[in-house]
Amino acid sequence: MNTARTARHRALAVLVVLLTAVATAVLPGRTGNAAPRAAAAVVPAGVPFLPSPYPLAVRIDSLLAVSLTVEKDVLIRLSDGTEVRTNKYTFSRLKIRRHMNVTQRAAGHTLTIDVPGEGSLGGYDSAGKAETTVMWGRIDRICVLLVACDVQGLLDWFGQFIPLTAGATEFEGTIYAIRTVDDHAALDSTDNPVHLPGTITVTGP
């Protein structure tokens, strides 16, 4: 068990969460009557892996984002070969204060992740080093505490220039991928940067 945990944290190991149905190749194609040949592999763009073309609908009732920065108009490539321009959000910690719900509707099934109470993505490891969470997608709605609701455009604009730490409620986002990494983990580290106590269910159409 310790060996498995250690492997997850070796040399900038990536822990991909909230992401299903990730494909890394396309189907073989035909040209005229020529024999079938494998299509060229789809190469990631903007994301170090190929997210699913079916985005995640993420809702969080209450959260705290720490050291959030925003990169706008990022080109990413999905596992079906299509490209999407979206935003890239990077923060050291996303603290879920109350209820997170993630829904993905993909060909023939619906995936639901439900965290009823508190949880977190990233933070600090046992050595006191900051972890990193990156989220590719868009914020559809957010209420920043003591400011206003529907200020996602303002949040994106300021986040391009300065790191932001803000509490918020009523977060709604369309998210293609989330990645959480312990950038500084030692080879013998067993720190887990993802804490999402809840349930995962998959249902048919």
Side-chain angles (χ1 to χ4, degrees):
M1 178 65 74
N2 287 337
T3 300
R5 289 179 177 175
T6 298
R8 290 200 302 267
H9 293 280
R10 296 183 60 186
L12 301 182
V14 175
L15 176 60
V16 179
V17 297
L18 309 182
L19 184 64
T20 60
V22 174
T24 57
V26 296
L27 294 173
R30 293 178 180 267
T31 302
N33 294 323
R37 62 182 179 85
V42 178
V43 179
V47 181
F49 52 91
L50 291 167
S52 167
Y54 303 100
L56 309 166
V58 180
R59 300 172 63 94
I60 305 174
D61 287 355
S62 179
L63 62 89
L64 174 67
V66 179
S67 295
L68 169 69
T69 59
V70 183
E71 185 177 349
K72 299 186 71 175
D73 200 31
V74 174
L75 180 67
I76 66 172
R77 186 167 293 127
L78 308 178
S79 60
D80 62 358
T82 60
E83 296 179 342
V84 174
R85 287 198 175 273
T86 190
N87 293 341
K88 176 182 177 182
Y89 301 91
T90 302
F91 40 89
S92 63
R93 188 184 193 203
L94 178 65
K95 170 68 176 178
I96 299 154
R97 290 171 162 169
R98 185 177 68 254
H99 195 204
M100 176 181 187
N101 181 271
V102 180
T103 303
Q104 182 191 49
R105 291 180 174 84
H109 74 272
T110 298
L111 168 73
T112 303
I113 300 172
D114 195 76
V115 181
E118 295 185 349
S120 63
L121 296 171
Y124 294 88
D125 62 21
S126 57
K129 300 293 182 66
E131 298 161 337
T132 302
T133 293
V134 183
M135 182 172 70
W136 292 266
R138 70 175 187 268
I139 296 175
D140 300 316
R141 174 179 168 82
I142 191 169
C143 300
V144 177
L145 299 181
L146 304 180
V147 182
C149 293
D150 297 314
V151 293
Q152 52 269 34
L154 189 64
L155 183 71
D156 289 348
W157 188 84
F158 276 110
Q160 295 178 89
F161 306 106
I162 56 175
L164 303 173
T165 295
T169 60
E170 299 181 35
F171 174 96
E172 296 179 12
T174 301
I175 308 301
Y176 287 94
I178 302 175
R179 184 184 73 159
T180 298
V181 180
D182 187 344
D183 297 307
H184 312 280
L187 293 179
D188 61 349
S189 173
T190 57
D191 292 325
N192 185 355
V194 177
H195 300 280
L196 296 175
T199 59
I200 300 176
T201 58
V202 179
T203 58

